[in-house]
Amino acid sequence: MSDKPGVLFVCVHNAGLSQMAAGWLRHLAGDTVEVRSAGSAPADQINPAAVEAMREVGIDITNQTPKLLEYATAESSNIIVTMGCGDACPAFPGKRYEDGKLEDPAGKGVEAVRPIRDEIRSRVEKLLTELHPTA
């Protein structure tokens, strides 16, 4: 296991919220954090409106694919941020949990996704200051 803190973002489809959050954390933290995302019922592709909204701020998430939440992924993470997966998100003893529930961007256009993207950025910045207080 790495000396870097590991953060796992989990939502149902791993196509919108968790992908945008992972994109923000990768962008803001660089290689100082192990960033992961997964879903309890992954979609076939990332939400195109989420891709476009992130592209607008210079973050490319097109190289990511929705992944199924696996025990090993959760086990190797220090912090698990649940983003609206409800009862589908398993609990792992000894892990720090954050609830990042936000409006689901599924089926929405980029105009509706922008405020969600911006709220995710604020939450990721707060998380990052907790992970690296001197940064």
Side-chain angles (χ1 to χ4, degrees):
M1 194 154 134
S2 172
D3 289 340
K4 301 176 198 178
V7 177
L8 171 62
F9 295 99
V10 182
C11 66
V12 175
H13 300 296
N14 190 223
L17 296 172
S18 57
Q19 291 288 353
M20 287 191 291
W24 275 120
L25 188 55
R26 281 187 200 97
H27 177 75
L28 296 169
D31 65 356
T32 66
V33 177
E34 294 287 336
V35 181
R36 305 171 182 98
S37 71
S40 54
D44 294 333
Q45 65 179 8
I46 296 179
N47 179 331
V51 169
E52 181 58 30
M54 294 301 283
R55 183 179 292 128
E56 290 177 353
V57 294
I59 300 172
D60 182 5
I61 60 172
T62 59
N63 63 342
Q64 302 299 312
T65 56
K67 297 167 203 66
L68 180 64
L69 175 61
E70 295 182 357
Y71 182 86
T73 304
E75 190 62 28
S76 64
S77 301
N78 303 93
I79 300 171
I80 299 173
V81 181
T82 59
M83 307 189 81
C85 55
D87 293 339
C89 288
F92 293 89
K95 300 297 174 186
R96 175 180 159 190
Y97 280 85
E98 299 285 331
D99 184 22
K101 185 169 171 100
L102 292 160
E103 185 178 350
D104 188 351
K108 294 179 174 41
V110 71
E111 299 81 18
V113 174
R114 286 182 189 122
I116 300 167
R117 172 203 65 202
D118 297 343
E119 177 61 26
I120 291 171
R121 179 186 180 140
S122 295
R123 293 179 186 197
V124 167
E125 287 173 335
K126 181 180 182 288
L127 177 63
L128 191 54
T129 61
E130 294 170 6
L131 290 171
H132 301 300
T134 59

